[in-house]
Amino acid sequence: MKLSLAAALLLGTATPAFAVGQLPAGVAPVSYDITVRPDAKAMTFSGEEDVTIAVERATKTIVLNAADLKIATATLDGQAVPFTLDATKQQLTLNSPTLVAAGEHKLHFAWTGTINTSAAGFFAIDYTNPDGSAARMLATQFEAPDARRFAPVWDEPAYKATFTLRTVAPNGQTAFSNMPTTSVTKQGDGSTLYRFAETPKMSSYLLFLGMGDVERKTVMAGKTEIGIITRRGVVDQGDFALAQAKRLLTYYNDYFGQPYPLPKLDMIAGPGSSQFFGAMENWGAIFYFEPELLYDQKRATQSGKQRIYTVVAHEMAHQWFGDLVTMRWWDDLWLNEGFASWMENKSSVDLNPDWYAAATAVAQDREGALQADATAATHPIIRKIETGDQIGEAFDGITYLKGQAVIGMMEATLGPDTFRDGIRRYMAKYKYSNTATDQLWAELSAAAGKPVAPVAHDFTLQPGVPLVTMTGARCVGGSTRVTLTQSRFGYDATAQQAQTWRVPLTLGMVGQPAISVTVRGAAATPVTVPGCGTLVLNRDKQSYVRVSYNAAGHAAIVRDFNGLVLTDQLGTLGDDFALAKGGNQKLDRYFADVAAVGAEANPLLWQTIAGQLADLSRREPKGPVREAMYSRVAATLAPVMQRVGFAAGKDESPLISTLRETLIAVLGDVGNAEVAAKARGYVAALATDPQAIPAAIRAPILGTYASNATSGEWDALLALALAEKNPVVKNGYVRLLGAADDDALAKRALGLLDSDRLSTPQKASLLRAIANGHPDLAFDFAVSHMALVSTLVETSNRAGFVANLGGGSDDAAMPGKITAFATANLPVAARGAAKATVASMAARRMVNARIRADIAKWAKSGS
């Protein structure tokens, strides 16, 4: 699964936690044969299935999962059998009057269920056709764990089985699933019966069914048919994704050493949204929300285009890591998500060199991981999962981004060829099976001829960020003797909690070969480095670690900043920015780095700096210091903005395009008059020309307009949103209604949530957008409108949504309000996300107290 762009802000409201992982051993599914008949108008469906099961030892009870289903019939080997349905445990128990002997048996069930309005189980996506008529697409979303809302199943990843699916689609609609159709039969009432081929052995959460008025376009990659399925009229917008999928399939077939095993690979575009995810890796039928898959040349920015590639690359990597080989239990979710995140970047390094993917990963993904891992809100990559709410919590930056970073570190430590050989061994040995993380370490160790688990365990079984500090260095006889120590980095009290890692580290002089060492513990590690000059720690920033220099060492880094490779420049900015926030050094070191970067430097450097300065500008409360900071940020970035301009140049680098997007967004956020005026002019022109805003800057221009909107401009934006027929554009306008800086406009946006003018997913995205700038308003609204808010977010991921709405607040009372909300509304096991939000807020307050004086000093020095 690929997190949505908002998913770092996870999730939901108050529902009872349910225990998971408690299906008794001894009975397992072998195959399912499922028939589903949806009634899209009534938002209900009926289903029946035959399940072949294997019983290991005689038993009188058979337990599987079911949720929100009304079971009409249950039989065992053709005989009706009594059953009970436990809604809290989401378990269906068959109570046989006689012993069920060891061996194979047949179960049959019939049931009815509900089609949901948000993306959990079987759900509907409502949208408007270009002619203004209403349309509804149906799809499924089962991760995790929501297959039980579709059919009675063993809804745990270790229970792999084959699935044969049938469904009935209304006249004029097409059904699609994981496998190709084997028959399409017209029924007497005009509907169509679809039967799909049997799947390979797979986990229940990977099953998929969809239907609607759609188009399909295909390409061949070897023997595999790759398809795009979209609502009618936009299938050509899938051409970019199709082309990238064809390249990626060849790349992955080679890298993993196992050819993609299904005959087809469809990518389905849904014209809706979710607060939790952007795409889902159903085997052979990957589901995406449209912005993550369809490239609209009239509206998409360069960053949007690159996002499509990375999401496609992520989901396709899952066809191996997750689908072919699946984690045994959700404790090891990172085996799916960390590897898919790593592969999306690795494939881009090899296939799209002009995107500078390796450097971008240092500046964005690595930093995201290190930030998330540096407070009391963190957790180990491998974490104990015991409730459904905890499964939802596990889809976070630690699982994805830290997982990605640690995998990259292991590859760098072992070497890319050895690492790939280990991955191939793992895939070959465990295909169609389930694993735990140590089985991966065993295969990598076999490939490397040495144990990898000791280092890997340090980074996966304990939380936190190691900090390697250079305490002294001197040149002796043409070599430099340096002393290194290892401690823990953190923004809060976690920094004082001693912890030990075996940190693989490369270091060397600028322009000279690097050496590799392992730094472990607080005792000094003496290292001799060839050459004398400017020493760079953690060369290429491939290890998961913060590094700190003594005064002389940092002065040399600043002096020779332009001689560092790009990854080391970006990593230095990130480390110095974080170390100042952590209280390890003053912010002056970071500002010295910024001063060393010229206006003509690599665009990624300025994109990174712009984001960091935006972060600093938001740490001051409203008042003179914030205004001074806004002015200093604008003055710092103005020369860069002047260089790149508002108009895209012919054949310009993708880095310039993405830098332009960031500069407009940041300058608009700090109220730069020129950018705000440009945005107003562009949006005004939309009244007569829907394409008035150039695609390359559409998103940041609209964002700038929305954040600076007056009451009249907000009204104009609302009119655009309500009149828009394109569902993706409409969803974007709805989110923008929540972006206004003005409190009064945020309150007007909240008023839309209690009306029937927006769909359920649109209301959820609007509330989240309001919370970004007005967390107190959003949180208080949610608490006072719980009946409404509880309908907006996917059931399996509700436990942290309301708490997260208040997470950006600087009100000293907000942590207590969040804790009180969780205590009153959530079971103890479901309060993890609320506790993490409160911990993150405490860390932010500590950071603000440390650096506000330095921010004010820098802001005023530019006036």
Side-chain angles (χ1 to χ4, degrees):
M1 184 187 291
K2 182 68 171 179
L3 292 177
S4 68
L5 293 176
L9 303 167
L10 300 174
L11 291 168
T13 67
T15 53
F18 63 88
V20 292
Q22 297 180 353
L23 289 180
V27 180
V30 176
S31 64
Y32 298 89
D33 194 323
I34 304 173
T35 300
V36 169
R37 296 177 176 85
D39 184 340
K41 182 176 291 187
M43 294 289 281
T44 61
F45 68 97
S46 62
E48 55 185 299
E49 70 179 357
D50 292 302
V51 189
T52 300
I53 61 172
V55 177
E56 288 184 13
R57 55 188 177 274
T59 182
K60 282 191 173 185
T61 59
I62 297 171
V63 186
L64 61 160
N65 296 113
D68 301 335
L69 301 178
K70 294 180 179 179
I71 309 298
T73 303
T75 68
L76 170 63
D77 294 330
Q79 300 297 312
V81 61
F83 63 88
T84 57
L85 188 58
D86 187 323
T88 301
K89 291 184 177 181
Q90 300 184 348
Q91 292 180 355
L92 173 63
T93 301
L94 307 184
N95 299 291
S96 175
T98 60
L99 277 174
V100 182
E104 285 200 352
H105 296 269
K106 297 284 187 180
L107 301 179
H108 177 81
F109 299 102
W111 67 91
T112 56
T114 300
I115 298 173
N116 298 310
T117 56
S118 61
F122 206 6
F123 71 100
I125 305 172
D126 290 342
Y127 62 97
T128 304
N129 288 315
D131 63 3
S133 60
R136 175 169 286 170
M137 179 185 289
L138 299 182
T140 57
Q141 169 59 26
F142 294 157
E143 188 182 41
D146 286 323
R148 64 191 67 183
R149 302 180 193 281
F150 180 75
V153 292
W154 277 257
D155 200 14
E156 297 180 7
Y159 286 106
K160 288 195 170 187
T162 62
F163 293 82
T164 301
L165 192 60
R166 296 178 183 83
T167 194
V168 177
N171 185 37
Q173 294 201 1
T174 302
F176 35 94
S177 186
N178 306 78
M179 299 294 286
T181 55
T182 57
S183 66
V184 180
T185 308
K186 205 71 173 177
Q187 306 292 287
D189 62 357
S191 63
T192 304
L193 175 65
Y194 284 82
R195 186 185 191 281
F196 301 97
E198 184 180 71
T199 70
K201 280 181 62 178
M202 67 182 194
S203 303
S204 57
Y205 76 89
L206 298 171
L207 183 64
F208 178 82
L209 174 64
M211 69 177 60
D213 181 16
V214 299
E215 295 181 276
R216 183 170 184 259
K217 190 174 189 177
T218 65
V219 297
M220 293 300 296
K223 296 180 179 180
T224 305
E225 181 181 77
I226 305 177
I228 285 276
I229 297 175
T230 73
R231 59 186 166 93
R232 193 164 297 280
V234 296
V235 73
D236 289 343
Q237 292 181 18
D239 288 348
F240 174 72
L242 270 179
Q244 302 313 306
K246 182 173 182 177
R247 299 169 73 204
L248 283 161
L249 195 68
T250 300
Y251 180 88
Y252 287 159
N253 280 339
D254 174 67
Y255 187 86
F256 292 121
Q258 296 291 322
Y260 175 76
L262 279 64
K264 63 94 175 173
L265 174 58
D266 277 329
M267 299 185 288
I268 299 107
S273 64
S274 166
Q275 285 302 290
F276 179 53
F277 74 103
M280 174 62 205
E281 65 267 19
N282 315 297
W283 213 0
I286 305 171
F287 178 83
Y288 304 77
F289 289 109
E290 279 192 18
E292 313 285 16
L293 183 67
L294 302 187
Y295 176 56
D296 183 351
Q297 296 187 49
K298 296 178 181 178
R299 295 181 175 91
T301 58
Q302 174 64 28
S303 64
K305 185 177 184 180
Q306 291 180 204
R307 168 80 180 177
I308 290 169
Y309 172 87
T310 58
V311 176
V312 170
H314 182 102
E315 301 308 326
M316 287 185 63
H318 272 312
Q319 305 299 290
W320 287 264
F321 258 105
D323 297 3
L324 183 64
V325 181
T326 312
M327 79 261 153
R328 185 173 299 125
W329 184 241
W330 301 104
D331 294 3
D332 287 299
L333 176 64
W334 89 287
L335 284 175
N336 288 12
E337 301 301 347
F339 268 88
S341 299
W342 178 71
M343 285 302 299
E344 75 184 49
N345 180 70
K346 182 174 181 63
S347 67
S348 191
V349 169
D350 292 338
L351 299 180
N352 304 299
D354 59 336
W355 290 0
Y356 286 72
T360 301
V362 168
Q364 297 175 10
D365 301 337
R366 175 179 178 270
E367 282 301 314
L370 292 167
Q371 293 281 353
D373 205 18
T375 76
T378 191
H379 60 82
I381 287 178
I382 300 171
R383 60 188 300 187
K384 187 66 176 175
I385 301 295
E386 295 179 332
T387 72
D389 295 302
Q390 289 171 350
I391 295 176
E393 292 169 18
F395 289 85
D396 67 1
I398 299 298
T399 298
Y400 284 73
L401 298 179
K402 183 176 180 179
Q404 170 187 343
V406 170
I407 293 161
M409 179 179 70
M410 298 306 295
E411 184 201 33
T413 302
L414 299 179
D417 292 341
T418 297
F419 186 82
R420 183 195 60 210
D421 289 346
I423 296 299
R424 288 177 173 176
R425 292 171 61 100
Y426 175 80
M427 285 291 161
K429 187 172 184 177
Y430 295 112
K431 58 186 176 182
Y432 305 108
S433 300
N434 298 84
T435 62
T437 298
D438 275 347
Q439 289 166 284
L440 173 64
W441 302 146
E443 298 310 311
L444 288 172
S445 296
K450 61 181 180 181
V452 304
V455 170
H457 284 167
D458 286 352
F459 287 88
T460 57
L461 298 181
Q462 61 183 0
V465 179
L467 169 64
V468 170
T469 301
M470 183 176 82
T471 58
R474 60 193 182 95
C475 180
V476 179
S479 296
T480 297
R481 295 178 182 174
V482 60
T483 302
L484 305 174
T485 60
Q486 179 255 297
S487 58
R488 183 173 182 178
F489 171 77
Y491 296 126
D492 52 22
T494 58
Q496 279 73 54
Q497 296 174 8
Q499 208 161 270
T500 299
W501 291 264
R502 300 167 182 84
V503 180
L505 196 74
T506 56
L507 63 161
M509 302 300 164
V510 172
Q512 300 296 316
I515 64 168
S516 298
V517 298
T518 299
V519 183
R520 183 185 187 191
T525 301
V527 180
T528 299
V529 184
C532 296
T534 299
L535 179 64
V536 181
L537 303 178
N538 193 19
R539 288 271 290 265
D540 284 327
K541 302 302 175 275
Q542 292 183 319
S543 281
Y544 186 77
V545 61
R546 293 286 187 200
V547 297
S548 176
Y549 298 87
N550 61 8
H554 190 270
I557 288 285
V558 172
R559 182 191 66 226
D560 292 338
F561 193 87
N562 293 314
L564 305 181
V565 297
L566 180 59
T567 48
D568 287 332
Q569 291 176 322
L570 293 165
T572 297
L573 285 167
D575 283 343
D576 283 345
F577 191 67
L579 290 167
K581 292 193 293 181
N584 303 84
Q585 60 190 38
K586 299 295 287 181
L587 200 52
D588 291 356
R589 285 194 176 186
Y590 167 75
F591 289 133
D593 298 338
V594 174
V597 180
E600 301 294 322
N602 187 289
L604 259 179
L605 284 169
W606 280 113
Q607 185 177 350
T608 300
I609 291 168
Q612 290 165 336
L613 293 181
D615 175 291
L616 294 179
S617 69
R618 289 190 292 267
R619 292 183 179 275
E620 290 289 347
K622 290 182 179 180
V625 175
R626 178 182 280 193
E627 293 304 316
M629 185 64 182
Y630 280 1
S631 296
R632 183 72 195 270
V633 170
T636 302
L637 300 180
V640 188
M641 184 72 234
Q642 185 175 10
R643 179 166 70 94
V644 302
F646 284 88
K650 184 179 180 181
D651 299 325
E652 73 179 10
S653 162
L655 296 186
I656 293 291
S657 300
T658 53
L659 171 60
R660 180 183 296 110
E661 294 176 49
T662 299
L663 290 173
I664 291 173
V666 172
L667 288 169
D669 191 50
V670 300
N672 179 263
E674 179 186 1
V675 173
K678 283 275 192 182
R680 290 189 168 101
Y682 276 123
V683 175
L686 289 177
T688 55
D689 179 8
Q691 273 73 57
I693 308 176
I697 58 173
R698 181 181 176 88
I701 285 292
L702 287 171
T704 295
Y705 176 87
S707 64
N708 292 281
T710 64
S711 180
E713 290 164 346
W714 191 90
D715 287 336
L717 188 59
L718 175 61
L720 281 172
L722 296 178
E724 181 59 52
K725 300 293 192 298
N726 183 310
V728 174
V729 178
K730 186 182 188 77
N731 291 342
Y733 284 149
V734 168
R735 287 190 294 272
L736 289 171
L737 289 168
D741 289 338
D742 189 289
D743 286 351
L745 296 180
K747 292 176 182 178
R748 290 183 64 188
L750 285 172
L752 294 172
L753 300 176
D754 209 11
S755 72
D756 59 1
R757 306 172 87 177
L758 304 178
S759 69
T760 295
Q762 286 168 347
K763 290 178 180 180
S765 66
L766 176 57
L767 182 55
R768 180 63 261 172
I770 295 167
N772 288 339
H774 305 272
D776 300 280
L777 286 175
F779 178 85
D780 291 344
F781 176 91
V783 171
S784 61
H785 294 77
M786 283 301 301
L788 167 65
V789 174
S790 65
T791 67
L792 301 184
V793 183
E794 292 83 76
T795 304
S796 299
N797 302 291
R798 286 180 179 167
F801 183 79
V802 171
N804 232 288
L805 294 175
S809 172
D810 286 326
D811 183 352
M814 181 56 76
K817 290 165 67 174
I818 292 173
T819 300
F821 161 78
T823 301
N825 293 276
L826 301 172
V828 173
R831 296 174 192 168
K835 291 178 180 178
T837 298
V838 170
S840 295
M841 295 173 74
R844 188 175 71 248
R845 289 195 302 274
M846 294 179 72
V847 168
N848 291 346
R850 290 185 189 117
I851 66 174
R852 276 180 172 168
D854 288 350
I855 294 172
K857 178 182 176 182
W858 185 77
K860 293 176 181 177
S861 69
S863 59

